[in-house]
């Protein structure tokens, strides 16, 4: 491997060190100097008012920080870093990149990736592909939602030849990087696309836990020093706490070391009030079964944690019906909590299984009296060291611990593990604390599960349920000592010269405008993951907590709706837009199954000023990228490529906005940023670049004008006509002259065009489906109808159903058998029927074969259809506007879109707002066009 990923130890430099242009005698002097500056900053009340400033004392923030490389607060050295390493924006320097639109699937089985867990993480090797594509060596990359700092790792590894080659690229001696492409002759060729060399990264996150992990990933690790120090600490902790993990072997003489202990819920029978362990009555080791229904060991009454609904049991065959059971009651115990200095009540758990080692061999047993006596001794032992006893904040993910009496941080740990963890924590130096953070919020807590099922007949440790604080009925108490041994770092890295800060990306106060070369964001996923809640255990031990006021999530406990989430993302993206150099790119990787959240991200990007150049779906199952055709089909990770228009276009637009030339200047500029071709899953076939579709181009132009506050100069018909006059048309897409030449060459060597999988759920998607169906094969109504009926299963319940005949009449043309056969039909018939080749277009046999076939109209002739359709849509919209209904249950979405557009042109914002409030909220949130019109109407009318 290369220098960045090296198993050999990397001793810290003992001599002079250089930092931001200054030289210090050693690294400790460097830290001392910048700590002094940070200490003075922390005394400034205005500094603490920066959005997202974490919750913590000055001393705790300073103890965690390693300035200028890392501050557990806003990093005041970012501007100095950019000034020292960055290159000022120079509009005269050419820069041109297509959006990266290839498969970015990368495995997660990497030693660096797995060195520390986190709620979500993008593999650094996947990010490397984007950085290599969009940047040059020495460029500065920014990640405003950095998590564990994989973007920083990726930026530095772009300078490691071995790692770059592991991605499938070829690197020459001079550092030129080549990627494989299909040449004009259909053969594979190597094409230059990047240069070998480290890039530098500025990383930021709201969470102190995230930035602490990121800091450790982005500073050098000396394996030898780590292991030496870890062994010393381990020895001391084993001397102090080792006795707590001792147990007697089944021979009653030999001492063993506990690996883990399984604890079981204790319940009460509501019939006889007898107390029993859930493990004893429901868990069948060796059979791989945990019973839903079980009998009280005392009275035999049927019991269950979740009794069957007897109203539905009659529908199930008698042999499969569950018994009539009563719901068990939880047993509780009270004890004095010395940390809180009060008596508390918690759900009762008892030890039921111990896994232990004797001379390297593993055994299992039931706890003996000696084991119970040991636990009593541990429970009466007080800690010699500090541990956090913060109250757990009320949150969307904290109901589970509250339900069993876990109300404070230290309650998440058994007394034994709490004593041992605090002993470790008191000894670990700042940088080594990240070893403990890798397991203290997971396998060491009462969330750790013991799973018994058909795949694990005798059970196994399965870790906590991801993204929750779920407390299982079978808790695994793993040994803190054994976990520390397992987690000790065995791989080092030499990553440096990246900067990490801790504050909100809604106000990037220390980053100058137009100063960054590329942005990679992996933002929060709406309501998917509650980062501040799930990071609370980490941050409690670090003694610096997330200030969640600016946390971009949907969260009932924080009173944040989807609108609040979108507003926060708009603020973040506006700051991203400000700091990015004009003409440069931002990549947003996003994963959510709700279309409303996906549309919020799209809307936020556009509101900030970004223009989306490409949206792809990363199909991890099949390893292919599919074009995004429907916002409700958000089932995999999305990769959004968006650009900041260059300064030249922005200046021209201010002068041309109210003229038709402004429209065509926008289209020309936008087409430059779009990919010329996209490869399908097979890599040999091309897929349509949906962003080049005339309807998508029109939507992009309209959105740009609306968000800039200008009326749209052209209607859809005029736009379509203008496109055909000014740009080259191929396969339903428009190109610039040089682009169409490249497209034609690529198409000639490709294996064909791959059809996109479409889902018909409303009028808009039905038109797209019909267009794709008829583009290459004009067909009669009788041919189309059975195919169309098959696609109608997922039609949205609110969408007014339309007959196939109506869809065809308003959007396509039918050849009536008179006059010359249209080009589209003639091309299909002469290609697929030998007897019809080389015939004139008015030949009788050709006309007979083509009669009644529906086809996609030529762009030049589609205008009249568009006008007729728009007239019909606006008539329906007028019905919605004047309707006395408070809520429209069934409506035609295309009619609402057309009506909103017309109202905007007439500056009738009240109509947009009135009709929008008649539409179900989820429909409004899930439709990007309606959401845009509505948000802009609210802004223009002064409403919130």
């Amino acid at each position: 491997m290369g220098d960045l990923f090296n198993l050999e130890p990397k001793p810290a430099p003992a001599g002079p060190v250089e930092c931001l242009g200054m030289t210090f005698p050693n690294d400790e002097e460097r830290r001392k100097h910048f700590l002094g500056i940070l200490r003075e900053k922390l005394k400034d009340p205005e500094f603490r008012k920066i959005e997202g400033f974490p919750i913590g004392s000055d001393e705790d923030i300073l103890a965690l920080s390693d300035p200028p490389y890392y501050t557990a607060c806003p990093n005041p050295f970012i501007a100095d870093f950019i000034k020292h390493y960055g290159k000022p924006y120079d509009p005269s320097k050419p820069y041109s990149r297509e959006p990266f639109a290839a498969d970015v699937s990368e495995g997660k089985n990497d030693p660096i990736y797995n060195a520390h867990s986190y709620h979500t993480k993008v593999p650094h090797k996947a990010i490397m592909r984007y950085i290599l594509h969009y940047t040059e060596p020495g460029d500065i990359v920014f990640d405003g939602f950095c998590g564990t700092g994989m973007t920083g790792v990726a930026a530095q590894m772009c300078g490691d030849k071995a790692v770059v080659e592991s991605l499938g690229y070829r690197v020459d001696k001079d550092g030129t990087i080549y990627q494989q492409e299909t040449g004009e002759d259909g053969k594979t060729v190597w094409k230059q696309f990047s240069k070998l060399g480290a890039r530098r990264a500025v990383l930021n996150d709201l969470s102190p836990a995230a930035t602490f992990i990121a800091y450790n990933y982005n500073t050098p690790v000396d394996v030898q020093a780590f292991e030496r120090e870890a062994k010393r600490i381990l020895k001391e902790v084993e001397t102090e706490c080792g006795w707590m993990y001792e147990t007697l072997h089944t021979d009653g003489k030999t001492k063993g070391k506990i690996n883990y202990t399984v604890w079981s819920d204790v319940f009460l029978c509501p019939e006889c009030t007898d107390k029993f362990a859930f493990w004893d009555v429901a868990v069948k080791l060796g059979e791989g079964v945990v019973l839903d229904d079980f009998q009280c060991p005392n009275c035999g009454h049927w019991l269950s944690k979740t009794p069957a609904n007897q109203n539905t049991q009659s529908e199930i065959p008698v042999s499969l019906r569950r018994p009539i059971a009563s719901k068990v009651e939880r047993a509780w115990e009270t004890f004095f909590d010395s940390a809180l200095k009060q008596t508390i009540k918690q759900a009762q758990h008892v030890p039921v299984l111990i896994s232990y080692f004797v001379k390297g061999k593993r055994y299992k047993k039931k706890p003996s009296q000696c084991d119970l006596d040991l636990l009593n001794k541990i429970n009466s032992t007080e800690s010699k060291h500090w541990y956090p006893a913060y109250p757990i904040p009320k949150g969307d993910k904290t109901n589970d611990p509250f339900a069993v009496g876990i109300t404070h941080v230290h309650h998440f740990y058994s007394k034994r593990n709490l004593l041992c963890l605090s002993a470790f924590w008191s000894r670990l130096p700042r940088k080594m604390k990240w070893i403990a953070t890798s397991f203290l919020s997971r396998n060491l807590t009462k969330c750790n599960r013991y799973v018994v099922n058909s795949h694990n007949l005798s059970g196994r440790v399965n870790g906590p349920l991801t993204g929750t604080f779920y407390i299982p009925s079978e808790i695994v108490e793993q040994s803190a000592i054994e976990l520390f041994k397992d987690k000790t770092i065995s791989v080092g890295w030499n990553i440096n010269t990246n900067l990490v800060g801790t504050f909100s990306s809604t106000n990037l106060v220390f980053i100058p405008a137009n100063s960054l070369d590329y942005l990679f964001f992996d933002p929060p996923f709406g309501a998917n993951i509650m980062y501040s809640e799930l990071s609370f255990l980490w941050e409690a031990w670090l003694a610096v907590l997330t200030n969640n006021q600016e946390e971009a999530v949907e969260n009932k406990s924080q009173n944040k709706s989807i609108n609040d989430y979108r507003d926060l993302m708009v603020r973040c993206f506006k700051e991203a837009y400000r700091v990015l150099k004009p003409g440069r790119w931002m990549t947003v990787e996003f994963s959510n199954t709700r279309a409303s959240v996906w549309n919020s991200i799209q809307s936020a990007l556009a509101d900030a000023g970004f223009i989306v150049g490409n949206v792809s779906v990363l199909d991890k199952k099949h390893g292919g990228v599919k074009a995004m055709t429907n916002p409700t089909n958000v089932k995999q990770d999305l990769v959004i490529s968006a650009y900041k228009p260059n300064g030249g276009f922005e200046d021209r637009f201010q002068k041309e906005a109210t003229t038709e030339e402004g429209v065509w200047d926008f289209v020309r500029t936008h087409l430059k940023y779009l990919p010329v071709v996209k490869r399908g899953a097979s890599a040999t076939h091309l897929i349509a670049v949906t962003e080049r579709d005339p309807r998508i181009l029109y939507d992009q132009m309209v959105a740009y004008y609306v968000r800039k506050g200008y009326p749209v100069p052209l209607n859809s018909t005029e736009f379509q006509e203008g496109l055909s006059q000014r740009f080259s048309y191929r396969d339903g897409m428009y190109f610039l002259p040089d682009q169409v030449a490249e497209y034609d060459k690529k198409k000639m060597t490709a294996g064909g065009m791959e059809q996109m999988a479409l889902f018909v759920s409303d009028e808009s998607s039905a038109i797209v489906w019909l267009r794709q169906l008829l583009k290459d094969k004009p067909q009669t109504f009788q041919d189309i109808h059975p195919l169309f009926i098959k696609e109608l299963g997922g039609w949205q319940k609110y969408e007014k159903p339309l007959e196939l005949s109506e869809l065809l009449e308003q959007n396509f043309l039918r050849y009536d058998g008179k006059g010359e056969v249209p080009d589209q039909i003639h091309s299909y018939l002469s290609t697929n029927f030998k007897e019809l080749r080389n015939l004139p277009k008015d030949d009788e046999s050709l006309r007979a074969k083509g009669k009644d076939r529906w086809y996609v109209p030529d762009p030049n002739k589609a205008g009249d259809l568009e006008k007729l359709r728009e007239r019909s849509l606006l008539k329906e919209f007028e019905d919605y506007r004047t309707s006395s209904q408070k809520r429209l249950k069934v409506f035609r979405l295309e009619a609402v879109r057309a009506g909103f557009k017309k109202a905007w042109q007439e500056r009738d914002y009240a109509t947009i707002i009135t009709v929008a409030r008649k539409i179900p909220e989820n429909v409004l949130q899930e439709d990007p066009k309606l959401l845009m019109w509505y948000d802009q109407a609210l802004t223009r009318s002064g409403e919130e």
Side-chain angles (χ1 to χ4, degrees):
M1 286 291 186
D3 288 338
L4 293 173
F5 182 59
N6 201 320
L7 296 176
E8 294 301 316
K10 294 277 182 182
V17 296
E18 195 170 306
C19 180
L20 299 184
M22 293 176 277
T23 303
F24 300 92
N26 53 54
D27 205 47
E28 193 54 42
E29 286 299 313
R30 181 270 309 165
R31 183 169 184 263
K32 182 179 177 181
H33 170 79
F34 287 104
L35 272 178
I37 298 174
L38 184 60
R39 186 182 296 277
E40 289 302 311
K41 273 284 185 184
L42 289 168
K43 293 177 183 177
D44 181 0
E46 293 303 312
F47 183 62
R48 279 190 165 270
K49 289 180 183 177
I50 292 174
E51 292 178 9
F53 196 101
I55 302 166
S57 69
D58 286 4
E59 291 308 313
D60 286 328
I61 289 171
L62 289 166
L64 207 56
S65 300
D66 184 17
Y69 302 119
Y70 169 55
T71 59
C73 64
N75 194 323
F77 307 104
I78 294 177
D80 296 330
F81 179 88
I82 294 172
K83 184 178 180 181
H84 184 70
Y85 290 113
K87 293 166 282 189
Y89 170 59
D90 182 358
S92 66
K93 187 176 180 180
Y95 173 88
S96 178
R97 297 287 193 283
E98 280 190 13
F100 186 93
D103 190 341
V104 294
S105 179
E106 285 290 342
K108 299 177 180 180
N109 188 24
D110 183 278
I112 290 185
Y113 181 90
N114 292 321
H116 203 295
S117 62
Y118 194 63
H119 318 302
T120 58
K121 196 191 295 188
V122 180
H124 59 276
K125 288 186 177 180
I127 304 172
M128 284 178 68
R129 298 179 184 275
Y130 293 103
I131 295 176
L132 288 169
H133 176 79
Y134 288 115
T135 67
E136 298 291 335
D139 281 356
I140 296 182
V141 177
F142 176 65
D143 187 342
F145 302 90
C146 72
T148 59
M150 291 294 101
T151 299
V153 174
Q156 284 282 298
M157 285 194 171
C158 288
D160 190 305
K161 183 173 182 286
V163 178
V164 171
E165 288 180 332
S166 75
L167 301 177
Y169 301 134
R170 196 182 84 195
V171 183
D172 276 359
K173 291 180 180 179
D174 66 353
T176 302
I177 303 175
Y178 300 85
Q179 63 183 355
Q180 283 187 323
E181 292 190 5
T182 303
E184 293 181 18
D185 57 358
K187 295 181 180 179
T188 299
V189 296
W190 288 95
K191 184 179 178 182
Q192 177 182 343
F193 86 103
S194 190
K195 291 287 288 184
L196 186 71
R199 283 69 166 165
R200 291 184 169 86
V202 174
L203 309 172
N204 187 62
D205 203 283
L206 195 64
S207 165
T211 58
F212 179 69
I213 299 168
Y215 154 67
N216 281 278
Y217 262 126
N218 283 271
T219 48
V221 172
D222 181 345
V223 176
Q224 192 174 56
F226 250 73
E227 289 188 346
R228 185 168 57 248
E229 185 70 0
K231 286 177 181 177
R232 181 190 66 78
I233 293 170
L234 181 62
K235 186 176 180 180
E236 289 184 10
V237 173
E238 281 190 310
T239 301
E240 181 180 334
C241 303
W243 62 273
M244 301 180 193
Y245 297 95
E246 290 180 351
T247 186
L248 281 179
H249 192 29
T250 49
D251 63 7
K253 300 175 184 178
T254 311
K255 280 188 177 181
K257 284 287 184 182
I258 294 175
N259 181 31
Y260 64 80
T261 302
V262 179
W263 294 72
S264 171
D265 267 336
V266 177
F267 293 120
L268 295 171
C269 173
E271 287 294 309
C272 67
T273 70
D274 189 50
K275 189 186 292 188
F276 56 88
F278 177 74
W279 177 274
D280 293 336
V281 299
V283 178
K284 303 298 180 184
L285 283 188
E287 300 177 30
V289 173
V290 178
L291 301 175
D292 291 323
D293 306 284
F294 43 85
Q295 290 179 285
C296 171
N298 182 53
C299 70
H301 187 73
W302 279 101
L303 305 169
S304 177
K305 289 199 296 180
T306 53
N309 183 343
Q310 294 304 316
N311 293 328
T312 61
Q313 287 290 292
S314 59
E315 303 169 7
I316 301 172
V318 175
S319 60
L320 299 177
R321 290 179 191 174
R322 291 173 59 186
I324 299 174
S326 300
K327 186 173 183 177
V328 293
E329 298 174 4
R330 192 176 288 282
W332 297 83
E333 59 183 353
T334 58
F335 58 91
F336 183 76
D337 185 330
S338 58
L340 302 182
K341 295 182 172 53
Q342 65 184 49
T343 299
I344 65 169
K345 185 175 81 167
Q346 287 187 345
Q348 186 178 359
H349 297 91
V350 293
V352 292
L353 181 70
I354 294 176
S355 170
Y356 62 102
F357 295 97
V358 174
K359 296 179 181 179
K361 192 173 181 181
R362 182 175 293 184
Y363 299 91
K364 290 181 181 178
K365 68 168 189 173
K366 288 185 178 181
S368 66
Q369 187 59 47
C370 290
D371 296 311
L372 300 178
D373 293 340
L374 176 65
L375 289 171
N376 289 330
K377 180 181 178 182
I378 292 169
N379 286 334
S380 62
T381 302
E382 292 300 323
S383 176
K384 302 175 184 177
H385 313 285
W386 173 88
Y387 57 81
Y390 296 106
I392 300 166
K394 182 183 177 183
D396 286 8
K397 297 295 182 182
T398 54
N399 286 335
D400 284 326
F402 287 154
V404 294
I406 295 177
T407 59
H408 290 70
V409 171
H410 61 295
H411 294 162
F412 271 100
Y413 307 94
S414 67
K415 186 64 177 288
R416 171 164 47 197
N417 276 347
L418 184 65
L419 294 171
C420 190
L421 180 55
S422 64
F424 272 120
W425 198 258
S426 67
R427 292 173 169 86
L428 290 170
R430 172 178 42 82
K431 194 164 174 60
M432 286 191 70
K433 279 185 165 70
W434 96 309
I435 295 177
T437 60
S438 68
F439 61 80
L440 65 79
S441 71
R442 289 185 54 79
N443 296 64
L444 212 59
T445 69
K446 293 178 181 176
C447 299
N448 204 9
R449 298 172 297 158
Y450 194 76
V451 173
V452 178
N453 54 33
S454 58
H455 303 291
N456 305 282
L457 301 182
S458 296
R460 71 177 182 91
V461 179
N462 204 44
L465 196 62
T466 303
T468 73
F469 281 129
Y470 170 69
I471 309 297
S473 285
E474 303 87 31
I475 296 170
V476 182
E477 178 200 12
Q478 286 184 263
S479 164
I481 291 174
E482 293 301 319
L483 280 172
F484 185 82
K485 289 178 184 177
D486 290 343
K487 294 294 181 180
T488 299
I489 292 176
S490 58
V491 59
W493 48 85
N494 192 32
I495 296 167
N496 50 28
T497 66
N498 290 334
L499 222 65
V500 185
T502 313
F503 60 113
S504 174
S505 287
T506 56
N507 185 14
L508 301 172
V509 62
F510 297 115
I511 304 182
N514 304 326
S515 62
L516 302 175
D517 299 293
Y518 171 63
L519 313 181
F520 183 92
F521 280 16
D522 181 17
F525 306 159
N528 274 22
I529 298 175
M530 302 302 153
Y531 288 90
S532 63
E533 294 178 24
L534 298 173
S535 295
F536 186 74
L537 293 185
W538 276 328
E539 294 174 354
W541 284 92
L542 296 171
V544 184
L545 308 176
T546 296
N547 178 347
N548 66 15
Q549 186 174 343
E550 310 299 329
E551 185 179 17
V553 291
E554 284 182 82
N555 187 296
K556 292 179 182 177
S557 303
Q558 296 181 30
N559 295 316
K560 289 178 181 173
S561 66
I562 183 69
N563 292 323
D564 297 309
Y565 168 75
R566 185 169 63 253
D567 290 344
L568 284 162
M569 290 309 305
V570 168
R571 289 168 58 193
C572 290
F573 287 148
K574 281 185 175 180
E575 278 294 271
Y577 185 90
R578 179 183 67 82
V579 301
L580 182 64
K581 291 177 180 177
R584 298 299 184 109
W585 288 89
M586 174 168 72
T587 298
V588 181
E589 181 148 348
F590 188 76
S591 178
N592 190 281
T593 56
R594 288 173 53 205
S596 59
V597 179
W598 155 244
N599 285 332
S600 290
I601 286 290
Q602 289 270 64
S603 173
L605 281 167
D607 284 349
F610 285 104
I611 300 177
V612 174
N614 180 61
V615 179
S616 296
V617 176
L618 180 61
D619 189 340
K620 292 179 177 176
K621 184 179 291 185
H622 302 294
V625 176
K626 298 178 181 177
M628 187 67 188
T629 58
N630 188 333
T632 59
N633 297 337
V634 187
K635 300 300 182 185
Q636 298 107 354
D637 285 356
L638 300 175
V639 182
I640 306 170
S641 298
Y643 64 90
K644 175 178 178 177
N646 62 52
F649 168 71
E650 292 276 81
D651 293 339
R652 294 195 307 274
F653 185 77
Q654 296 298 323
K655 302 171 185 176
E656 303 169 343
T658 57
T659 69
E660 187 177 331
E661 183 51 38
V663 172
W664 305 121
D665 195 359
F666 171 85
V667 174
R668 274 191 295 271
T669 303
H670 185 53
L671 287 175
K672 289 178 185 176
Y673 284 93
L674 300 181
V676 174
V677 296
K678 285 185 184 179
R679 299 281 176 182
S682 65
T684 58
H685 284 63
L686 302 182
I687 58 175
V689 181
T690 54
E691 293 80 11
R692 291 184 177 275
D693 183 287
R695 291 156 302 152
I696 304 298
L697 289 172
Y698 183 68
D699 289 343
Q700 283 281 24
M701 183 274 293
V702 169
Y704 190 78
Y705 268 79
V706 168
R707 287 184 165 97
K708 290 289 185 180
Y710 291 102
V712 182
L714 301 177
N715 61 32
S716 177
T717 302
E718 293 165 338
F719 183 80
Q720 299 257 6
E721 291 172 352
L723 273 179
S724 63
Q725 293 166 8
R726 291 169 174 82
F727 304 100
S728 301
Y729 184 77
R730 296 287 190 279
D731 301 321
M733 301 175 285
Y734 280 97
F735 299 87
L736 297 172
D738 59 326
Q739 292 176 333
V740 79
E742 181 184 348
Y743 179 78
D744 288 341
K745 288 179 182 178
K746 294 281 177 70
K747 186 179 178 183
M748 285 177 63
T749 59
M753 292 291 290
E754 186 175 299
Q755 294 295 317
M756 294 180 294
L758 294 175
F759 301 88
V760 176
S761 58
D762 56 17
E763 181 179 354
S764 178
S765 56
I767 294 169
V768 173
W769 181 84
L770 285 167
R771 188 178 295 272
Q772 182 171 294
L773 180 73
L774 298 176
K775 185 178 66 173
D776 297 319
K777 184 182 179 181
Q779 301 178 54
T780 65
F781 180 89
Q782 289 76 15
D783 295 328
I784 301 167
H785 190 263
L787 300 173
F788 182 72
I789 293 299
K790 282 183 182 179
E791 298 294 326
L792 287 182
W795 197 266
Q796 300 284 1
K797 64 180 181 180
Y798 60 79
E799 179 81 11
K800 178 182 176 181
L802 293 175
E803 294 295 332
L804 174 61
S805 57
E806 192 173 357
L807 286 167
L808 289 169
E809 286 165 7
Q810 291 189 6
N811 298 279
F812 303 93
L813 295 175
R814 182 180 66 85
Y815 175 56
D816 59 6
K818 299 175 183 178
E820 290 189 350
V821 175
D823 288 342
Q824 295 91 322
I825 299 177
H826 179 264
S827 174
Y828 169 72
L829 294 178
S830 62
T831 301
N832 292 275
F833 298 90
K834 290 182 179 179
E835 67 276 14
L836 298 178
R837 291 174 186 171
N838 301 316
L839 297 177
K841 290 183 179 180
D842 59 355
D843 184 89
E844 188 64 33
S845 55
L846 255 181
R847 286 194 293 171
K849 192 74 173 178
K851 188 174 185 295
D852 291 329
R853 289 181 185 262
W854 290 92
Y855 62 97
V856 178
D858 183 277
N860 294 316
K861 301 175 182 178
D864 291 340
L865 271 180
E866 286 283 338
K867 289 175 184 176
L868 288 171
R869 181 168 182 267
E870 185 176 26
R871 197 176 304 155
S872 171
L873 293 173
L874 289 175
K875 184 180 177 182
E876 289 209 36
F877 179 79
E878 183 61 19
D879 292 340
Y880 305 152
R881 188 185 71 81
T882 57
S883 171
S884 59
Q885 287 182 276
K886 288 186 177 181
R887 283 284 182 186
L888 299 172
K889 294 182 179 179
V890 178
F891 49 92
R892 193 173 174 184
L893 205 56
E894 288 292 287
V896 180
R897 290 169 180 156
F900 277 14
K901 179 172 166 289
K902 182 172 183 291
W904 174 267
Q905 293 292 85
E906 297 172 353
R907 302 192 178 188
D908 184 3
Y909 308 129
T911 290
I912 295 174
I913 294 169
T914 299
V915 177
R917 289 174 177 168
K918 293 182 179 183
I919 297 170
E921 178 71 13
N922 66 306
V923 177
L924 188 64
Q925 295 291 348
E926 291 179 4
D927 190 286
K929 295 178 186 176
L930 297 188
L931 194 59
M932 176 191 70
W933 297 117
Y934 178 58
D935 281 349
Q936 294 298 319
L938 286 176
T939 301
R940 297 291 184 272
S941 66
E943 284 196 43
E944 290 294 335

